[in-house]
Amino acid sequence: MTHAVSNQPPPLVGRDVFADDHALVEAVRRHGARDALSRLHDLGMLAGSPEAQGLAVEADTHSPVLRTHDRYGNRVDEVTFHPSWHALMTTAVAFGLHATPWSATEPAAHATRAAGFMVWSQVEAAHLCPVSMTYAAVPALRTDAGTAAVWEPRLTSTEYDPGIRPPAEKGGCLAGMAMTEKQGGSDVRANTTTAEHTGDGGWYALTGHKWFCSAPMNDVFLVLAQAPDGLTCFVVPRMLDDGTRNSFRLQRLKDKLGNRANASAEVEFDGTLGVRLGEEGRGVATIIEMVAATRLDCVLGSAALMRRAVAEATWHAAHRSAFGGLLADAPLMQVVLADLAIESEAASALAMRLAASVDGADDPQERALRRVGLPVAKYWVCKRTPALVAEALECLGGNGYVEESGMPRLYREAPLNSIWEGAGNIQALDLMRVLAREPDAVAAWHAEVETAKGADRRLDACLDDTDAALRDVARDPVGSTHLARRLATRMALLLQGSLLARFAPASVADLFCATRLDRPEGTFGALPAGFDVGAIIARATPELL
Ligand SMILES: Cc1cc2nc3c(=O)[nH]c(=O)nc-3n(C[C@H](O)[C@H](O)[C@H](O)COP(=O)(O)OP(=O)(O)OC[C@H]3O[C@@H](n4cnc5c(N)ncnc54)[C@H](O)[C@@H]3O)c2cc1C
């Protein structure tokens, strides 16, 4: 033997990913999803298994392949995925991480699904893209009862049945969306794809292109196009009712920074048939429910990435020594880990609170909170994720920079949720729209934060300051546009602080309020003295079964 390997942490496999995420377990309990605990533990054990981790590596390594034509030259426009992708999708759909909560009768179905989404996306994030879009399509499809009646049973089925075949013959279907064009994604009103009525019921023929269309093997897409009366939403199936393929030309797959297991295509439409959803000219209003639901998943997905990164960092530090002691006992590593842990916990608490507001959608207060909470949470949580993942990666030292650690995959994925469904500025501008036009939503935000009033003087002071800033903005919303990121940040932090002050251990809430609401610092780990960082790290460190 030339040498023995020592001081390398054991692999972080063979655990219940749900059980050791105390912040998530507590959120599930308080949002009324206790009945789902045992199912979530089952999913957590699957997520922490070596088999699932292996599937994630395979799916990321073997990117999907575009096949435009068959051997005879006929267009097929198909994408071939590695078997590991299908295995991951099978579990996601079987657990109902896609559209199932919309047809569920049990309470807290959306909170349950959100927790499952957070657990399972810690295995591999990319395959959750078609899962999210299918979840998000249902509220938009409900604009038209007839269309919803056709598609909802297919989208809520827990059978994963891949392949382009007539939807009526499939055990379950998946949905996607295509809004973004070459000349612009944020400004969809500039879309150039046209839609002409075919004269056959609600069917239109679409001509044009989409610059990003993820998961193009899904069965049906919500597409924006310019009809005679303006931008309109269409339901575009890949297979038509007569058993022929709809024109759906996949030009290229994107060569992406991360999210490599998933396919994102450029598509051209040439007389592509779609059924109108909602009125002509009301495309944005129709698709907005889908956009809102996918924004929720961006927050959940980012919170999940943070949790996975923190689990890896705390695990490594708990098993790696330097200079004669465990990294986890080094004071300067402790402040870094504790800072990362509270960021992750705050993200999880906010993501789950917003998911629970979907369960409470009959309550106007919950709807109003979701309206303002989504843009601020999407802005802040998604934006914090790349910074957190980079710092967590560094906790693993050189090992963290190496693919086998899994950290580079998290790092490449980390910026995506902030771009998807409206990049950071678009979220901040959406907040300004809320501030200018929707006083009920602002009031719902205030009421939610105020439930923690008196719990922490720093929270109270920050709320007073932010209220004053909001009053200033109300006097001149347009002239205050440059303040949008600042306001979104404060409003997200206050929501997080209020949740932690009410529900997290005192050590977590105390450190969060001191470092986020009182005296924020630029980097992770630049903490003041006098906080119980040991308790925070212990709570965040995963355990094997
Ligand atoms: C991997 C991947 C998959 C995707 N999949 C899909 C999909 O399936 N379907 C789909 O429709 N789209 C998809 N997209 C597209 C994505 O939603 C868009 O890229 C995103 O909405 C931003 O649009 P854009 O790229 O055109 O950027 P732009 O709209 O050009 O924006 C560029 C930058 O300018 C900022 N900005 C824009 N307007 C303003 C303003 N008024 N003031 C200040 N700043 C502003 C934005 O915040 C952004 O930072 C995908 C993107 C990626 C990366």
Side-chain angles (χ1 to χ4, degrees), residues 21-28 30-31 111 114-115 117-119 121-122 295-310 338-356 373-374 376-389 414 417 489 491-501 503-504 508-509 512-513 516 524 536 539-540:
D21 187 348
H22 301 288
L24 185 59
V25 174
E26 289 161 17
V28 166
R30 73 173 168 268
H31 292 307
F117 188 93
M118 281 194 56
V119 167
S121 58
Q122 288 180 57
R295 285 178 178 173
L296 171 64
D297 276 15
C298 290
V299 183
L300 289 165
S302 288
L305 280 176
M306 285 196 198
R307 171 59 197 158
R308 169 78 194 260
V310 168
D339 210 2
L340 295 175
I342 58 168
E343 189 73 33
S344 162
E345 180 152 353
S348 296
L350 181 52
M352 286 299 293
R353 176 67 186 90
L354 293 174
L374 276 180
V376 302
K378 162 102 165 60
Y379 170 75
W380 182 243
V381 173
C382 298
K383 202 149 280 303
R384 291 292 279 175
T385 307
L388 180 139
V389 171
N417 283 321
T489 303
M491 291 176 78
L493 287 170
L494 278 163
L495 281 174
Q496 292 180 323
S498 153
L499 288 163
L500 297 183
F503 304 118
V508 172
F512 185 89
C513 291
R516 271 56 173 180
F524 287 105
I536 297 170
R539 177 173 162 85

Side-chain angles (χ1 to χ4, degrees), residues 177 179-180 184-186 212 214 256 419-421 423 425-426 429:
M177 72 194 318
M179 301 190 295
T180 311
S186 310
F212 282 94
S214 290
K256 296 175 287 185
I419 297 171
W420 255 341
E421 298 305 333
N425 281 357
I426 298 303
L429 290 171

Side-chain angles (χ1 to χ4, degrees), residues 117-446:
F117 188 93
M118 281 194 56
V119 167
W120 192 243
S121 58
Q122 288 180 57
V123 176
E124 199 285 322
H127 78 286
L128 273 306
C129 165
V131 170
S132 283
M133 292 194 293
T134 305
Y135 172 69
V138 171
L141 286 168
R142 285 182 176 176
T143 306
D144 184 279
T147 309
V150 171
W151 283 103
E152 221 175 295
R154 298 169 179 168
L155 300 178
T156 54
S157 160
T158 49
E159 183 179 341
Y160 173 59
D161 189 357
I164 296 175
R165 302 199 314 284
E169 294 171 15
K170 295 185 71 171
C173 291
L174 296 171
M177 72 194 318
M179 301 190 295
T180 311
E181 297 188 357
K182 293 188 183 84
Q183 71 284 347
S186 310
D187 185 7
V188 288
R189 290 186 189 279
N191 274 189
T192 59
T193 297
T194 58
E196 282 181 37
H197 199 227
T198 59
D200 175 11
W203 288 92
Y204 288 63
L206 275 57
T207 305
H209 79 282
K210 294 292 163 182
W211 187 230
F212 282 94
C213 176
S214 290
M217 288 294 284
N218 285 359
D219 301 278
V220 63
F221 292 80
L222 267 63
V223 177
L224 289 181
Q226 303 285 1
D229 280 345
L231 195 66
T232 305
C233 187
F234 295 94
V235 177
V236 175
R238 287 223 54 185
M239 280 297 269
L240 298 169
D241 291 343
D242 64 4
T244 60
R245 288 183 177 219
N246 205 358
S247 170
F248 204 93
R249 292 187 187 154
L250 304 184
Q251 303 296 100
R252 284 196 293 180
L253 296 187
K254 301 288 192 188
D255 183 8
K256 296 175 287 185
L257 167 66
N259 195 255
R260 297 188 74 88
N262 182 26
S264 300
E266 295 166 18
V267 186
E268 288 204 1
F269 299 134
D270 182 9
T272 304
L273 294 173
V275 177
R276 178 167 50 78
L277 183 66
E279 292 170 32
E280 271 193 27
R282 299 275 300 155
V284 173
T286 305
I287 211 167
I288 202 71
E289 280 296 323
M290 183 169 190
V291 170
T294 39
R295 285 178 178 173
L296 171 64
D297 276 15
C298 290
V299 183
L300 289 165
S302 288
L305 280 176
M306 285 196 198
R307 171 59 197 158
R308 169 78 194 260
V310 168
E312 296 285 350
T314 50
W315 178 255
H316 185 88
H319 295 90
R320 174 91 165 178
S321 298
F323 302 102
L326 274 181
L327 288 175
D329 295 332
L332 193 50
M333 182 56 97
Q334 287 185 329
V335 288
V336 173
L337 293 174
D339 210 2
L340 295 175
I342 58 168
E343 189 73 33
S344 162
E345 180 152 353
S348 296
L350 181 52
M352 286 299 293
R353 176 67 186 90
L354 293 174
S357 74
V358 186
D359 287 311
D362 290 341
D363 178 348
Q365 176 80 4
E366 289 295 298
R367 277 205 306 279
L369 178 67
R370 183 165 165 265
R371 173 67 189 99
V372 65
L374 276 180
V376 302
K378 162 102 165 60
Y379 170 75
W380 182 243
V381 173
C382 298
K383 202 149 280 303
R384 291 292 279 175
T385 307
L388 180 139
V389 171
E391 192 68 58
L393 180 154
E394 191 173 322
C395 292
L396 275 69
N399 285 352
Y401 202 71
V402 172
E403 286 292 338
E404 287 167 316
S405 73
M407 298 304 284
R409 181 155 49 86
L410 297 188
Y411 186 69
R412 287 193 296 269
E413 189 75 19
L416 181 54
N417 283 321
S418 192
I419 297 171
W420 255 341
E421 298 305 333
N425 281 357
I426 298 303
Q427 301 307 313
L429 290 171
D430 192 31
L431 169 64
M432 297 309 275
R433 211 168 297 123
V434 173
L435 297 183
R437 298 185 201 157
E438 302 187 48
D440 289 355
V442 185
W445 169 84
H446 187 91

